[in-house]
Amino acid sequence: MPATTFAPGLRKYAPRDREAVRQLCCDTGFLGDPIDPVFEDRELFADYLTSYYTDAEPESALVLEHGGTVKGYLLGSRHPARQRSFDWRMNLGLGWRGLRRYPRYNAASRRFVKWIFFEGRSEVPPAPKGVPHFHINLLSEVRNVLSTRLLIDSFLRYLSDCGEKRVFGQMVVFEARRGTRMFERYGFKVINKSEITKYRHLRDEPVYLCTVVKDLDANSQLYGSDLAK
């Protein structure tokens, strides 16, 4: 990342944070709660969701610390082509490992693996090609507007300093949580939304994955036109 002054508790990712990021990924992997009721293989889950960012593009990652412990992170990518190549190679290995372990998995984990192989790809909404992206995770004790804005604003400044023009994220949405209006307040436009069926047997209300996009030339800060007034 370009030289940046961060708010207290916020800093660039360092190699020593790798295990903390992986654990936090698993501790928040089920709609903000631990992934274990959905998928028991934490190693595979963390490999799939974090390895590219921590191992191939760590310069685009941020962590949020509290009391000397990592409580949140933002993992981002400015190099979609590099990530596609990394993911293609990694996913072959992860798929083989998952199939070998499948007979030992519990029923919930088997359901999750079947969803990945037969439905997961088709349920992920389209995203703009060649555009930087990010995702964030926060433990419940720091899951608030201030922490979210600290992470995303710092990443948006980084992208803007690097000359990037747009950014997208894919966010989980359900009635009790986020809605289109919230994204618009912060300058993002919702361009796609798709139901994620792996949660149907666990929740009464549907869960969606939204693709949201922000034009950094128009506004590189985390607010929309109504907040800028």
Side-chain angles (χ1 to χ4, degrees), residues 6-12 62-65 147 150-151 154 157:
F6 294 114
L10 183 66
R11 61 173 173 81
K12 293 190 291 185
L62 295 164
V63 296
L64 184 68
E65 276 189 327
S147 296
L150 281 174
L151 283 165
S154 296
R157 285 198 301 271

Side-chain angles (χ1 to χ4, degrees), residues 165-228:
K165 305 299 184 184
R166 301 171 74 205
V167 63
F168 81 89
Q170 290 191 315
M171 310 294 188
V172 173
V173 178
F174 48 93
E175 188 173 290
R177 245 177 122 189
R178 308 176 182 127
T180 300
R181 177 61 178 158
M182 188 205 76
F183 294 122
E184 291 174 346
R185 274 180 68 83
Y186 293 106
F188 287 88
K189 181 180 179 181
V190 178
I191 61 171
N192 286 297
K193 185 169 76 169
S194 177
E195 184 183 359
I196 304 301
T197 60
K198 67 182 175 183
Y199 298 118
R200 277 183 180 171
H201 67 293
L202 298 168
R203 295 187 58 85
D204 294 332
E205 57 187 339
V207 175
Y208 299 94
L209 189 64
C210 282
T211 301
V212 300
V213 177
K214 187 173 178 68
D215 181 348
L216 297 176
D217 274 346
N219 179 6
S220 62
Q221 299 281 301
L222 190 58
Y223 54 79
S225 57
D226 57 340
L227 291 185

Side-chain angles (χ1 to χ4, degrees), residues 81-217:
R82 181 198 299 178
Q83 185 173 11
R84 283 196 302 272
S85 176
F86 181 98
D87 287 348
W88 185 85
R89 297 191 306 271
M90 181 184 68
N91 289 345
L92 287 176
L94 293 181
W96 175 241
R97 284 161 55 195
L99 288 174
R100 289 178 60 192
R101 298 175 184 182
Y102 184 84
R104 302 194 301 272
Y105 286 157
N106 60 30
S109 297
R110 291 186 184 188
R111 182 195 293 265
F112 183 77
V113 171
K114 288 178 181 177
W115 177 84
I116 290 174
F117 276 99
F118 298 112
E119 299 166 81
R121 188 178 183 88
S122 65
E123 292 182 9
V124 175
K129 297 184 183 300
V131 175
H133 73 272
F134 70 95
H135 68 269
I136 67 171
N137 272 323
L138 296 158
L139 292 176
S140 58
E141 58 261 40
V142 296
R143 198 175 297 148
N144 53 53
V145 173
L146 176 60
S147 296
T148 300
R149 293 193 66 171
L150 281 174
L151 283 165
I152 299 180
D153 260 336
S154 296
F155 185 65
L156 296 181
R157 285 198 301 271
Y158 160 65
L159 292 180
S160 185
D161 289 346
C162 290
E164 302 293 351
K165 305 299 184 184
R166 301 171 74 205
V167 63
F168 81 89
Q170 290 191 315
M171 310 294 188
V172 173
V173 178
F174 48 93
E175 188 173 290
R177 245 177 122 189
R178 308 176 182 127
T180 300
R181 177 61 178 158
M182 188 205 76
F183 294 122
E184 291 174 346
R185 274 180 68 83
Y186 293 106
F188 287 88
K189 181 180 179 181
V190 178
I191 61 171
N192 286 297
K193 185 169 76 169
S194 177
E195 184 183 359
I196 304 301
T197 60
K198 67 182 175 183
Y199 298 118
R200 277 183 180 171
H201 67 293
L202 298 168
R203 295 187 58 85
D204 294 332
E205 57 187 339
V207 175
Y208 299 94
L209 189 64
C210 282
T211 301
V212 300
V213 177
K214 187 173 178 68
D215 181 348
L216 297 176
D217 274 346

